[in-house]
Amino acid sequence: MRIVLMGPPGAGKGTQAKRLVERFGMDHLSSGDILRAERASGSKLGRQLAGYMDAGKLVPDEIVVEIMAKAIADGNAQRGLLLDGFPRTVMQAQALDRQLERAGKPLEVVVVITASPGAIVERITGRRSCPKCGKAYHVKFIPPDRKGLCDSCGAKLVQRDDDTEPVVSKRLDAYIAQTRPVIEYYRRRGKLKMVEVDGDKPPDDVTADLVEALQAFCAHV
Ligand code: AP5
């Protein structure tokens, strides 16, 4: 399966992507994780990215498209693909369509996880993650066994620089203005299975809804 996973910040894309990959075994590419890794490398490009990301703005299309095109080309197309956080503009969606169609592996499914604005702010400001193994937590909804420490590797959990309330509201504005039109682009494009799930439900219920929809898709192809 080749899937795009969309939704506002904090809808649960990263959380659900990891679970879907465990279940279906496809490659998972998160544009946010890839951009954060570039930042962490301390490169000139990484410093440029930080300015956009910490302000809650989208990174310019030409930069993201180039980085993601390389990551997709380097991946294992046979295993399938789950794109999380990319594309986020119509221009990015068009570039992705061109790349996948050239490779004879067009996109098949677009999943949208919805979430209400109140849930988004609470989830994002409470999110913590492990800098060592990447495991994600929430101080209230998915707390670690020992406060502030990763269950898997014991490292001290950290908060993302862009997970503050003022930046979340900018990220939400960017989602509404620039990313929501991508859903309409895919609806009009046709030949795609469109799936929408309610991300306000508890994490396990969201996973169950997603698995059911994707299994139904697999049974029909
Ligand atoms: P990115 O990293 O993609 O951030 P985002 O889209 O804002 O999404 P998040 O990672 O914040 O949320 P999520 O939906 O993955 O939620 P999660 O599962 O973690 O992008 C960051 C920045 O990079 C952008 O602002 C931009 O600058 C740049 N960027 C990235 N891609 C780009 C692109 N294509 N073009 C241009 N710029 C780009 O869950 C959140 C929290 O809630 C967690 O603590 C989790 O434990 C908890 N949780 C999850 N599900 C539930 C649930 N059902 N109930 C209760 N709690 C839950």
Side-chain angles (χ1 to χ4, degrees):
M1 276 185 284
R2 287 173 297 278
I3 307 173
V4 161
L5 188 54
M6 301 183 65
K13 301 182 293 296
T15 304
Q16 298 301 330
K18 289 188 182 77
R19 294 173 177 206
L20 293 177
V21 165
E22 270 172 28
R23 178 82 183 222
F24 295 103
M26 68 283 262
D27 272 2
H28 170 211
L29 292 178
S30 152
S31 52
D33 287 349
I34 293 171
L35 296 173
R36 277 185 289 280
E38 185 65 43
R39 279 183 68 162
S41 76
S43 67
K44 191 177 162 204
L45 173 61
R47 286 195 295 280
Q48 205 184 332
L49 298 177
Y52 296 104
M53 296 170 79
D54 290 348
K57 293 181 183 163
L58 293 188
V59 171
D61 285 338
E62 55 280 13
I63 299 178
V64 180
V65 166
E66 192 181 331
I67 292 175
M68 292 305 292
K70 183 171 181 317
I72 293 166
D74 289 348
N76 181 350
Q78 299 310 324
R79 280 163 42 106
L81 182 62
L82 177 63
L83 290 168
D84 155 14
F86 178 84
R88 250 176 161 97
T89 65
V90 171
M91 189 271 182
Q92 292 179 18
Q94 289 166 333
L96 174 67
D97 275 344
R98 284 194 296 273
Q99 180 179 4
L100 295 182
E101 270 156 25
R102 263 199 314 270
K105 307 245 175 237
L107 196 62
E108 294 168 296
V109 185
V110 173
V111 173
V112 182
I113 305 181
T114 60
S116 55
I120 289 171
V121 173
E122 188 178 18
R123 284 181 191 181
I124 288 198
T125 51
R127 171 169 45 194
R128 301 291 181 271
S129 59
C130 176
K132 238 169 126 186
C133 71
K135 197 162 179 197
Y137 298 89
H138 188 280
V139 291
K140 183 169 159 193
F141 304 123
I142 311 176
D145 293 337
R146 287 177 300 154
K147 196 177 173 207
L149 299 176
C150 179
D151 294 344
S152 302
C153 67
K156 195 164 179 258
L157 302 180
V158 295
Q159 186 172 23
R160 257 167 57 176
D161 291 338
D162 59 345
D163 276 354
T164 60
E165 212 167 323
V167 180
V168 174
S169 110
K170 295 271 185 283
R171 284 161 58 193
L172 193 52
D173 290 347
Y175 177 77
I176 292 166
Q178 292 166 276
T179 307
R180 260 201 200 148
V182 178
I183 300 171
E184 195 47 41
Y185 166 82
Y186 282 134
R187 277 212 181 94
R188 292 219 182 116
R189 184 177 157 287
K191 294 193 199 155
L192 282 172
K193 165 89 176 160
M194 301 292 295
V195 174
E196 185 173 300
V197 295
D198 178 2
D200 280 342
K201 292 184 181 176
D204 290 349
D205 293 2
V206 179
T207 308
D209 289 350
L210 283 170
V211 168
E212 191 188 345
L214 294 177
Q215 276 175 338
F217 171 75
C218 288
H220 280 92
V221 287

